[in-house]
Amino acid sequence: MLPSKTHPTGILITALYGSISLAAAVGSTDSFDVLDYVDPLIGTANGGHVFPGATLPFGMAKAVADTVGENQAGFAYDTTVVTGFSHMHDSGTGGSPSLGNFPIFAQPSCPNDDINQCKWQLNDRAVVWKRDSAKARPGYFSISLANGVQAEMTTTNRSALYRFTFDGASSESLSPVVLVDLIDLPQSRTNGFADVDSSNGRLTGNGTFNPSFGIGSYDLHFCVDFKGAELRDTGVWTKNRANTTRKTVSLRADGTNSPDTLSAGTFARFHAPKDNTILARVGVSFMNVKQACANAEREQPNFDFDGTRSAAEDAWRKKLSVVSVDADGVSKDLQTVFWSGAYRSLISPQDYTGENPLWESDEPYYDSYYCIWDSYRSIHPLLTLVDPLSQSLMMRSLLDIYRHEGYLPDCRMSLCKGYTQGGSNADVLMADAYLKKVDGIDWDTAYEAVVKDAEVEPANWNVEGRGGLQSWKSLGYIPTDDYDPYGVGTHTRSISRTVEYAYNDFCIAEMAKGMGKQADYEKYTTRSGNWAHMFKEDQKSSINGADTNFTGFLQPRYTNGTWGYQDPIFCSPLLNFTSCYLNPSGHETYEGSSWLYTFYAPHDMGALIKTLGGAEQFTSRLEFLHESGLLYVGDEQAFLTVFQFHYSGRPALSAKYSHFYIPSQFNTTTAGIAGNDDSGAMGSFVMLSMMGLWPVPGQDVYLITPPYFKEVSIKNAVTGKTATIRNVNFDANYKSIFIQSAKLNGEAWSKNWLTHDFFTQGGVLELELGLTESKWGTQTEDLPPSLSNYHK
Ligand SMILES: *[C@@H]1O[C@H](CO)[C@@H](O)[C@H](O)[C@H]1NC(C)=O
Ligand SMILES: *[C@@H]1O[C@H](CO)[C@@H](O)[C@H](O)[C@H]1NC(C)=O
Ligand SMILES: *[C@@H]1O[C@H](CO)[C@@H](O)[C@H](O)[C@H]1NC(C)=O
Ligand SMILES: *[C@@H]1O[C@H](CO)[C@@H](O)[C@H](O)[C@H]1NC(C)=O
Ligand SMILES: *[C@@H]1O[C@H](CO)[C@@H](O)[C@H](O)[C@H]1NC(C)=O
Ligand SMILES: *[C@@H]1O[C@H](CO)[C@@H](O)[C@H](O)[C@H]1NC(C)=O
Ligand SMILES: *[C@@H]1O[C@H](CO)[C@@H](O)[C@H](O)[C@H]1NC(C)=O
């Protein structure tokens, strides 16, 4: 809603967006425009790797300036030079830079009007960008360079439109050159080909590239057309030389002179444009050049920059309109944190339907599930709430990948298999969608796919399925010295893989139960208890020699049953934080400590709490995790631990720790997110936390905490019903954050959780807040579901 208190009816205005004419509201001076609260530059510095450029929701075309430095998503704020403008990116990823293929670059003129004195190759052409010029808004990005060029960009689903404005102040007379480079951000190209049509300046071409966090290669094609200036001449360039006679350039991996770092391409040179601007329209396609051109021609026949931009803005307003908040008293910054988080959650996976050359299918094809290990915990549960139609398409697309490639992915980008970080966590997505009755999914195939993960080890379990399945079935854990002749994969992470496989099996059990497969239900329920086989009950933990006084942690175990050792704080921020990545020396826990993974049994918190010494011990151990510096909220496994106090009957502490991290770790600065955004994982964490209902992924369970707003409403796109969560005694200073009592549709509600039908059926959850912890939600019968009971 409005940040100002002058507009108490703003919530109505917000709620109307999307259903009523948007145009009517836009431009009216006192109406709320959600886009004023989205800052795409948040998370672009300090390793956040957020993509701040122009894109549609889940769009394939993602245009931004590419900088030199930590440029995983093309542009990073903590950089100084720009080398080009490219049309496809991923957001928030942690691997090597993604995509960024076929950058174009504009220069006002060549010195002395000599084509060979222009700057061609990547490093030569780098130009300083002006610090205050970077402007980002959904559907739009703009930046000004020291060479007197302002570059603005906007996109449709599969094409980008650039508007280059030349300041005209240069001493040279204006004769702009626009080049395309066959390079990509990770410099992974093998083959490349470019051609320029000397009759109209159209630049087309293709290349073969590698994915940024996976195996194999992909082909991509482009098509650039210009408008706004008369064509002067065209040509090709390689390294720092250009030639106007030749019109094609061909780079081959087998050649000795075409390394993947070689900068080369084609160009078009123009006479001075009348209004100092040139428009460049770039179509992209994974299919062929013809389709790249057709995508651009269909989506933007008129090179209408303002029209394309405003269509993109409307698409974003509509996407965000399902959520409305009464933000009375809430700072503009905090509202911006919220809506920007929402925005970043809706960028990926990307809709490549009709752009998949790998197989023919009538099913949707989404890509950039980057990665499900990150996204299953918050992004997809959020999409199920705010965009169940897209969530359905994404799940169908995952199943189509299973049909054609044999396994569900754990990570996928650029039509390639990505690396699996832990379990087969698409199983969690399937169970989550099944329990929440996401529409349109072939559940028999979904069940077949998750059972295959659990039963059939793939030849290369680095990129799909699970490794060590023989041990999993016979020993009930992944031994640290696993002997596994059945498949190839990185033999690390025995602890984190064990707890994730256990939870994956629980998710299969839930589906089996719903489908009446009793024997499977029992089998996978039993296997879901495997986490306990790595619990070493006498394991102590100290920090700098001082005993933490908590005993019992997950520990590595050998095939023969004896225990190995990994310091329980190892791979926490307190000890060797960066020693647990996806490499052969990556240790037994992935991107986190045994301290953290010891809390991961979300299906059997009753058993876990007993194992850790009862509710009081569990609570103080969980508080210690948050208070001691052992936890980094920038890795996704941390999310659930913020809310797990619900299970020990202390929902007030979940609210407390939610505020402990927001806004201290999530703010409106360019460095304002913890860690990489991971395709919107951090964004969805803030949005869900601030809406006050934390979804336990893979279960039909939402843990109740008070929203950060007086009121939040979510409209379900399938049923048309609206669910409202209302704080009574709302305090925008967040002192009163403890639920005293709750009412669901007017009836007292003492459980500290609720189910998804609240969102599909609609209704009102009223939370009465107070300054101190109350008895609400604390009794055993109030606690969320658990396989084992909560009593001794
Ligand atoms: C872009 O693609 C989405 C589906 O991902 C579709 O709903 C939307 O209509 C498309 N937009 C345009 C302008 O074609
Ligand atoms: C790229 O284009 C050239 C010329 O049309 C063609 O020979 C080549 O096969 C294409 N490469 C790919 C990967 O499509
Ligand atoms: C440009 O290429 C043509 C054809 O390959 C060649 O004859 C000519 O010498 C080249 N010009 C320059 C300046 O390199
Ligand atoms: C652990 O217990 C000892 C003895 O009671 C105490 O001195 C020490 O401070 C405790 N350690 C922590 C981290 O609380
Ligand atoms: C179990 O295996 C480990 C690793 O090979 C070995 O160090 C240990 O001594 C073995 N324990 C027993 C009881 O054989
Ligand atoms: C832990 O970090 C220290 C200091 O960086 C390093 O010397 C040591 O090798 C690391 N230990 C392991 C097991 O990775
Ligand atoms: C903003 O968030 C970042 C990332 O979590 C954090 O390091 C920084 O301290 C925060 N800044 C403020 C002013 O809270």
Side-chain angles (χ1 to χ4, degrees):
M1 203 193 85
L2 281 184
S4 77
K5 290 170 191 152
T6 58
H7 211 293
T9 57
I11 188 166
L12 288 172
I13 292 172
T14 321
L16 288 174
Y17 269 105
S19 48
I20 308 292
S21 160
L22 292 164
V26 177
S28 129
T29 49
D30 65 346
S31 65
F32 168 86
D33 184 356
V34 68
L35 302 193
D36 294 341
Y37 296 86
V38 175
D39 182 355
L41 291 171
I42 293 174
T44 56
N46 206 24
H49 300 168
V50 163
F51 168 78
T55 180
L56 288 183
F58 311 122
M60 178 168 122
K62 293 192 178 340
V64 82
D66 292 327
T67 52
V68 173
E70 271 210 16
N71 56 1
Q72 269 75 357
F75 177 85
Y77 204 81
D78 38 9
T79 60
T80 51
V81 295
V82 167
T83 55
F85 306 96
S86 69
H87 339 292
M88 292 177 60
H89 293 89
D90 281 309
S91 186
T93 62
S96 56
S98 250
L99 297 157
N101 326 65
F102 315 123
I104 61 173
F105 197 67
Q107 297 173 66
S109 58
C110 298
N112 304 315
D113 205 31
D114 174 3
I115 203 83
N116 274 312
Q117 292 185 38
C118 253
K119 303 288 188 221
W120 297 102
Q121 62 187 340
L122 194 71
N123 297 328
D124 293 353
R125 68 176 183 254
V127 173
V128 169
W129 59 276
K130 298 183 183 167
R131 292 315 297 176
D132 295 330
S133 72
K135 300 270 181 292
R137 190 170 155 96
Y140 177 79
F141 185 86
S142 169
I143 196 164
S144 296
L145 308 185
N147 65 357
V149 178
Q150 184 201 4
E152 297 170 278
M153 54 218 78
T154 184
T155 55
T156 56
N157 280 322
R158 278 139 205 206
S159 65
L161 187 62
Y162 299 86
R163 181 161 65 193
F164 297 113
T165 303
F166 305 94
D167 71 8
S170 121
S171 54
E172 307 283 338
S173 61
L174 203 56
S175 181
V177 175
V178 183
L179 65 83
V180 67
D181 190 340
L182 288 171
I183 210 152
D184 64 333
L185 278 170
Q187 304 193 356
S188 73
R189 183 197 59 236
T190 43
N191 296 313
F193 177 85
D195 173 88
V196 54
D197 183 334
S198 55
S199 70
N200 57 12
R202 171 175 273 193
L203 313 176
T204 56
N206 63 43
T208 302
F209 305 93
N210 296 334
S212 53
F213 191 64
I215 60 170
S217 67
Y218 66 94
D219 295 335
L220 190 68
H221 310 266
F222 70 92
C223 178
V224 189
D225 289 299
F226 299 98
K227 194 177 170 184
E230 196 188 323
L231 188 63
R232 181 174 163 197
D233 55 7
T234 60
V236 306
W237 60 276
T238 301
K239 294 187 184 167
N240 57 5
R241 303 290 294 173
N243 185 313
T244 53
T245 312
R246 296 182 51 199
K247 305 299 172 189
T248 64
V249 53
S250 183
L251 308 174
R252 279 191 221 299
D254 55 9
T256 48
N257 63 346
S258 304
D260 44 16
T261 52
L262 175 71
S263 225
T266 51
F267 70 89
R269 181 159 59 162
F270 300 91
H271 294 291
K274 275 191 232 34
D275 56 0
N276 284 353
T277 70
I278 288 181
L279 291 158
R281 182 187 69 186
V282 184
V284 281
S285 174
F286 286 102
M287 304 302 282
N288 48 53
V289 162
K290 199 169 158 234
Q291 186 153 320
C293 296
N295 283 343
E297 286 161 356
R298 184 185 65 253
E299 293 184 341
Q300 351 195 19
N302 305 319
F303 292 72
D304 174 6
F305 192 92
D306 296 334
T308 302
R309 178 181 176 183
S310 101
E313 291 197 341
D314 284 351
W316 278 109
R317 285 191 189 97
K318 185 160 186 230
K319 236 350 157 204
L320 294 168
S321 69
V322 298
V323 175
S324 60
V325 297
D326 179 342
D328 195 13
V330 178
S331 70
K332 174 152 190 183
D333 269 3
L334 207 46
Q335 292 182 66
T336 302
V337 165
F338 178 78
W339 289 113
S340 303
Y343 167 80
R344 297 201 308 275
S345 310
L346 300 165
I347 288 178
S348 284
Q350 304 168 16
D351 184 0
Y352 290 3
T353 306
E355 290 288 344
N356 175 9
L358 301 178
W359 59 80
E360 280 184 26
S361 171
D362 294 331
E363 284 296 282
Y365 182 74
Y366 280 70
D367 203 303
S368 285
Y369 295 87
Y370 201 168
C371 295
I372 291 173
W373 186 87
D374 307 280
S375 64
Y376 86 86
R377 303 165 200 268
S378 56
I379 296 176
H380 287 285
L382 175 65
L383 296 183
T384 302
L385 279 180
V386 303
D387 194 358
L389 297 171
S390 293
Q391 173 68 1
S392 165
L393 298 173
M394 290 167 190
M395 295 303 105
R396 281 169 55 187
S397 165
L398 286 178
L399 288 180
D400 216 39
I401 293 167
Y402 162 74
R403 284 187 198 99
H404 292 92
E405 304 220 321
Y407 282 93
L408 293 166
D410 186 61
C411 195
R412 190 173 177 88
M413 76 289 307
S414 312
L415 301 156
C416 293
K417 293 178 181 182
Y419 296 122
T420 302
Q421 293 165 85
S424 49
N425 287 311
D427 306 348
V428 184
L429 291 186
M430 289 302 151
D432 197 88
Y434 179 75
L435 297 171
K436 293 172 185 171
K437 302 187 177 67
V438 172
D439 276 347
I441 296 173
D442 169 359
W443 293 118
D444 290 333
T445 302
Y447 190 71
E448 186 187 296
V450 298
V451 166
K452 187 167 182 193
D453 281 340
E455 297 299 332
V456 186
E457 182 167 323
N460 178 2
W461 50 267
N462 275 337
V463 294
E464 56 203 359
R466 306 186 201 169
L469 274 182
Q470 199 67 24
S471 299
W472 184 245
K473 293 177 199 176
S474 59
L475 298 173
Y477 62 94
I478 299 298
T480 188
D481 59 343
D482 197 20
Y483 171 68
D484 178 7
Y486 309 97
V488 173
T490 306
H491 280 277
T492 56
R493 302 157 289 144
S494 63
I495 292 175
S496 48
R497 280 165 57 212
T498 292
V499 298
E500 290 184 26
Y501 292 1
Y503 190 57
N504 298 155
D505 280 342
F506 170 76
C507 288
I508 300 171
E510 290 179 297
M511 291 179 73
K513 188 179 183 185
M515 294 175 164
K517 301 175 197 288
Q518 183 63 21
D520 278 10
Y521 168 67
E522 287 166 18
K523 170 183 176 178
Y524 291 114
T525 300
T526 303
R527 277 168 52 164
S528 80
N530 284 355
W531 60 272
H533 297 153
M534 299 199 91
F535 184 77
K536 186 164 183 282
E537 62 180 14
D538 61 354
Q539 180 62 52
K540 297 199 164 281
S541 168
S542 47
I543 299 172
N544 296 327
D547 195 343
T548 60
N549 301 330
F550 296 101
T551 306
F553 292 89
L554 298 178
Q555 282 295 293
R557 226 176 157 180
Y558 294 108
T559 309
N560 64 17
T562 58
W563 293 102
Y565 175 71
Q566 179 176 305
D567 189 326
I569 70 168
F570 188 75
C571 284
S572 78
L574 300 183
L575 185 67
N576 288 72
F577 188 34
T578 57
S579 292
C580 293
Y581 291 135
L582 206 52
N583 54 52
S585 58
H587 300 98
E588 303 310 320
T589 48
Y590 183 66
E591 288 189 2
S593 63
S594 154
W595 251 93
L596 170 56
Y597 280 103
T598 297
F599 285 99
Y600 195 67
H603 51 303
D604 201 355
M605 294 301 289
L608 180 66
I609 288 169
K610 274 179 273 188
T611 301
L612 297 184
E616 265 181 51
Q617 269 294 309
F618 175 90
T619 301
S620 51
R621 184 189 282 226
L622 192 52
E623 284 184 292
F624 191 84
L625 175 75
H626 291 289
E627 300 282 353
S628 57
L630 280 166
L631 187 72
Y632 177 53
V633 78
D635 284 319
E636 288 75 9
Q637 320 92 299
F639 294 172
L640 189 56
T641 67
V642 176
F643 302 95
Q644 279 183 316
F645 297 99
H646 274 66
Y647 291 91
S648 57
R650 302 291 299 278
L653 294 177
S654 299
K656 173 183 157 185
Y657 282 99
S658 167
H659 287 276
F660 180 78
Y661 292 110
I662 303 169
S664 75
Q665 301 290 305
F666 298 92
N667 52 56
T668 55
T669 67
T670 53
I673 60 172
N676 315 136
D677 200 36
D678 287 320
S679 302
M682 297 299 138
S684 52
F685 171 74
V686 252
M687 189 190 195
L688 285 165
S689 302
M690 292 180 72
M691 292 199 302
L693 286 178
W694 185 262
V696 179
Q699 297 178 40
D700 189 5
V701 172
Y702 292 85
L703 307 176
I704 303 171
T705 52
Y708 285 48
F709 301 99
K710 201 170 187 176
E711 187 167 305
V712 177
S713 293
I714 305 173
K715 183 172 176 178
N716 187 283
V718 177
T719 62
K721 300 281 174 51
T722 297
T724 297
I725 309 149
R726 182 176 300 145
N727 283 322
V728 179
N729 302 332
F730 175 66
D731 165 20
N733 295 314
Y734 305 115
K735 298 275 188 303
S736 263
I737 52 166
F738 303 111
I739 299 174
Q740 307 297 304
S741 66
K743 278 185 195 159
L744 183 61
N745 298 325
E747 305 279 322
W749 186 262
S750 64
K751 288 184 172 32
N752 66 28
W753 61 286
L754 48 67
T755 55
H756 189 63
D757 54 10
F758 173 60
F759 297 100
T760 49
Q761 307 300 306
V764 177
L765 176 69
E766 232 174 38
L767 307 172
E768 194 196 330
L769 306 186
L771 287 163
T772 51
E773 186 170 2
S774 78
K775 285 259 173 266
W776 177 85
T778 62
Q779 303 305 298
T780 305
E781 58 272 22
D782 303 332
L783 307 183
S786 163
L787 268 180
S788 320
N789 64 38
Y790 287 94
H791 294 294
K792 281 253 187 280

